[in-house]
Amino acid sequence: MTQDYIVSETTRVREDWSRRGKHWDQQAQAVAETAARFNQPLIDAAGIEPGHCVLDLATGAGEPGLTVAELVGETGRVAATDLVPEMMAGAKRRAQERGIANMEFRQADMCALPDDDATFDRATCRFGLMFVPEPERAAREVHRVLKPGGRAAFMVWGPRADTTMFTVFAEAVEQLWGADDPLIDFNTMSCLGDTGRLEEVLSAGGFANIEEKELRFSPKIPTDLEPWHAQIDMSLGPKLETVHPSERTRLEQAIKDGFSRYIVDGAYHMTAHVRIGVGEKA
Ligand SMILES: C[S@@+](CC[C@H](N)C(=O)[O-])C[C@H]1O[C@@H](n2cnc3c(N)ncnc32)[C@H](O)[C@@H]1O
């Protein structure tokens, strides 16, 4: 992988997430309950305790950083870090609203962190590592800033076919707008989802005692709740800004039709597959 490719891909990712910032902020409350389910397994895997100094990477709209800041308490702290300030704008506001004073927000690429060696007790990253062109480089950098004995936990999506929301969305957008639209990307989020891939990345980063965990969820959502609305804005908000408003109605119908395959006894029987890679600094 050339340096030129890494620079241009990082620029593309930064621009993409800058466009998404306001949509993620607007939907943060709507997805809070679902998103909270992912926090505890990640926090448990990282072994976070009160008093820890924690690096949260790709903090985006705020999680798990906000939850971790409350957990580590006033003797601990959280350094929330994201490539894109627009993604963290809502997280900063929510921290203020919740009276969280032990959290700082920094704009940084997780491959080039502004921290000294051996600064943090723990590092978390929820659904961020997939967007880094060379994740091994991020793993090396996180390893550098952890204290000896420190632990990092990275959460990623499993293969796309295992998560109903993404399967249906990818089919719907392909049907409407084709597969090659630069404002649509349902491939990147599962690029680290195959068994063993996170292990490889952590190993290349220099981590020891590596473990890869698989989490599967099977939520049953009553059909009248139509669980896709917030995800439409978060995944496709920038695309919808470029098309006629009637396209949103067509998209919603295509997604509703896609979800109809999963109805059993008045509820959508959905699945989601998430993986966590954990490693320690010897
Ligand atoms: C799917 S969002 C995840 C946000 C949050 N952690 C969550 O789970 O809701 C992905 C985030 O990764 C950030 N990101 C992408 N590449 C990054 C990089 N190289 N360094 C730091 N953050 C990055 C994006 O800006 C975006 O905020």
Side-chain angles (χ1 to χ4, degrees):
M1 195 170 292
T2 67
Q3 186 57 25
D4 281 356
Y5 172 77
I6 290 171
V7 170
S8 73
E9 185 57 12
T10 305
T11 303
R12 188 194 67 73
V13 168
R14 185 185 291 117
E15 287 170 1
D16 182 49
W17 282 103
S18 306
R19 287 190 288 261
R20 287 171 200 280
K22 66 172 186 286
H23 299 286
W24 278 62
D25 185 24
Q26 281 159 7
Q27 298 303 337
Q29 205 46 48
V31 298
E33 201 182 309
T34 312
R37 271 191 231 140
F38 300 126
N39 278 344
Q40 200 56 48
L42 185 63
I43 288 168
D44 289 346
I48 295 170
E49 292 173 8
H52 273 158
C53 178
V54 180
L55 171 64
D56 185 42
L57 298 152
T59 299
E63 292 296 345
L66 294 162
T67 301
V68 170
E70 287 173 333
L71 194 162
V72 297
E74 54 191 31
T75 57
R77 74 179 180 94
V78 172
T81 307
D82 200 287
L83 185 64
V84 176
E86 291 87 341
M87 280 298 290
M88 282 191 299
K92 280 186 196 171
R93 202 186 59 247
R94 277 184 281 284
Q96 262 181 352
E97 285 164 3
R98 283 157 68 166
I100 294 173
N102 59 346
M103 193 171 180
E104 59 176 312
F105 294 87
R106 308 102 45 87
Q107 177 190 1
D109 184 341
M110 68 174 92
C111 298
L113 294 166
D115 308 292
D116 292 336
D117 295 358
T119 298
F120 297 100
D121 299 298
R122 298 287 185 266
T124 50
C125 182
R126 197 182 85 169
F127 303 134
L129 191 61
M130 309 87 83
F131 302 101
V132 179
E134 195 183 5
E136 292 80 0
R137 191 184 282 216
R140 277 197 297 277
E141 185 63 345
V142 175
H143 185 268
R144 179 183 71 75
V145 301
L146 278 175
K147 296 175 187 170
R151 195 182 303 167
F154 295 89
M155 178 175 270
V156 302
W157 291 105
R160 187 171 75 200
D162 294 350
T163 297
T164 315
M165 187 71 80
F166 301 144
T167 307
V168 172
F169 269 55
E171 282 171 10
V173 296
E174 192 168 337
Q175 183 191 320
L176 259 60
W177 301 312
D180 295 322
D181 193 315
L183 288 175
I184 296 167
D185 179 9
F186 285 101
N187 293 326
T188 305
M189 61 182 109
S190 52
C191 69
L192 297 176
D194 289 339
T195 307
R197 183 67 185 109
L198 277 175
E199 235 175 281
E200 279 173 8
V201 170
L202 286 167
S203 174
F207 283 92
N209 299 328
I210 298 167
E211 241 190 286
E212 204 176 291
K213 300 167 191 282
E214 174 182 286
L215 302 174
R216 288 183 186 265
F217 301 89
S218 309
K220 295 178 179 52
I221 315 280
T223 48
D224 55 323
L225 291 186
E226 300 197 333
W228 51 81
H229 289 291
Q231 196 65 45
I232 286 181
D233 281 331
M234 291 161 74
S235 295
L236 298 166
K239 170 68 185 173
L240 288 169
E241 284 167 9
T242 69
V243 296
H244 190 273
S246 62
E247 289 290 278
R248 187 180 187 111
T249 312
R250 289 211 313 141
L251 174 69
E252 285 180 0
Q253 190 57 53
I255 289 173
K256 189 170 184 165
D257 291 346
F259 266 95
S260 65
R261 302 203 297 273
Y262 299 91
I263 298 176
V264 180
D265 296 336
Y268 296 114
H269 285 221
M270 297 169 63
T271 59
H273 176 182
V274 165
R275 305 188 73 80
I276 303 176
V278 197
E280 278 177 17
K281 180 164 176 171

